[in-house]
């Protein structure tokens, strides 16, 4: 009996050592207002300076692919001018908000509620700084989630002229769902809508996978001339992707 009691005491001690942390413990909301300039366009946005402890909150940062995309769009505003645009994996919203300076409609999306929170704050900041944010909206969209996609299509039955993605290809497990989502959005305006992807190479296996997945979904990938460059010591390029 003494041994049994000792085991019970040890279990109680082990249970006392277990620390239960609320999910909010891993969320960093120490956002700072940061100024970004792309050509003549100046953006003031809330974002983090360093990565959150949760890999799923990478959208709280501005990544190299977004800089690549925004530099390209600021130099070629005709790409998005007067178009309707939906951005996948918008993060802090830096690309979508830049597009709003030229577009008639921009829908920024992300699957993570914490990231959507900062997107909405940055949208609100646009009107506070004197910019019209009437063309900007934010929607929850998990790639491959048919309910989320259907909700967006229901709200935007005419579809979009462009689907944008900046630095969103960094997890092998998500690439198939990404292109499932892109294909469904492209087919709303089959033959008219295009997917503009700012791709940053971090692993050769991903370079091959992204192109193969696009082909698997019946898409043609064209590298935009003059866009292959080095950004933050990584090779980046802009792809123009459309259904074949």
């Amino acid at each position: 009996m003494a041994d049994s009691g000792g085991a019970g005491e040890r279990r109680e001690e082990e249970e006392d050592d277990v620390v239960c942390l609320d999910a909010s413990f891993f969320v960093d909301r120490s956002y700072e207002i940061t100024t970004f300039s792309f050509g003549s366009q100046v953006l003031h946005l809330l974002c983090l300076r360093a990565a959150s402890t949760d890999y799923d909150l990478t959208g709280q940062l501005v990544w190299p692919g977004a800089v690549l995309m925004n530099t390209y769009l600021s130099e070629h505003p005709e790409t998005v001018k007067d178009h309707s645009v939906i951005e996948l994996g918008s993060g802090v919203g830096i690309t979508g908000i830049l597009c709003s300076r030229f577009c008639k409609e921009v829908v920024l999306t992300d699957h993570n509620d914490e990231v959507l929170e900062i997107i909405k704050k940055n949208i609100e900041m646009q009107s506070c700084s004197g910019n019209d944010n009437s063309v900007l909206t934010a929607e929850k969209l998990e790639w491959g989630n048919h309910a989320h996609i259907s909700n967006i299509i229901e709200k935007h039955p005419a579809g979009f002229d462009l689907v944008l993605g900046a630095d969103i290809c960094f997890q092998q497990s998500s690439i198939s769902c990404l292109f499932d989502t892109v294909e469904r959005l492209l087919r709303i305006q089959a033959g008219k809508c295009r997917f503009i992807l700012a791709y940053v190479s971090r692993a050769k296996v991903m370079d091959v996978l992204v192109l193969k997945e696009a082909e698997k979904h019946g898409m043609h990938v064209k590298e935009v001339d003059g866009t292959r460059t080095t950004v933050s010591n990584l090779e980046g390029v802009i792809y123009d992707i459309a259904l074949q």
Side-chain angles (χ1 to χ4, degrees), residues 159-213:
F160 303 92
D161 299 311
L162 292 171
V163 180
L164 299 183
D167 220 342
I168 57 176
C169 301
F170 51 84
Q171 284 182 292
Q172 291 187 50
S173 60
S174 69
I175 299 302
S176 178
C177 290
L178 167 62
F179 278 93
D180 285 345
T181 301
V182 171
E183 181 182 357
R184 191 165 175 192
L185 291 169
L186 293 183
R187 290 198 181 281
I188 304 173
Q189 288 199 46
K192 296 181 180 180
C193 185
R194 292 150 43 223
F195 176 35
I196 307 298
L197 174 66
Y199 180 75
V200 174
S201 177
R202 292 183 173 84
K204 295 299 181 183
V205 65
M206 289 296 293
D207 301 349
V208 174
L209 179 60
V210 168
L211 297 179
K212 282 189 173 180
E213 199 64 36

Side-chain angles (χ1 to χ4, degrees), residues 54-106:
D54 185 343
Y55 78 93
D56 199 32
L57 295 175
T58 53
Q60 295 173 303
L61 302 173
V62 172
W63 289 92
V67 175
L68 174 62
M69 177 73 89
N70 283 28
T71 300
Y72 172 72
L73 293 178
S74 66
E75 294 172 351
H76 302 277
E78 69 279 1
T79 304
V80 295
K81 186 173 175 59
D82 296 327
H83 286 344
S84 58
V85 169
I86 182 168
E87 185 187 8
L88 307 181
S90 297
V92 299
I94 189 169
T95 294
I97 289 171
L98 174 69
C99 287
S100 71
R101 306 285 176 88
F102 312 106
C103 293
K104 64 180 181 182
E105 177 185 30
V106 183

Side-chain angles (χ1 to χ4, degrees), residues 133-149:
N133 68 351
S134 61
V135 300
L136 285 165
T137 56
E139 296 286 352
K140 184 166 186 171
L141 175 56
E142 178 182 20
W143 302 338
N145 186 311
H146 293 289
H148 290 178
I149 299 170

Side-chain angles (χ1 to χ4, degrees), residues 31-47:
Y31 304 126
E32 297 180 24
I33 296 178
T34 307
T35 300
F36 301 89
S37 296
F38 301 100
S40 62
Q41 301 299 321
V42 178
L43 307 179
H44 303 286
L45 301 173
L46 289 165
C47 63

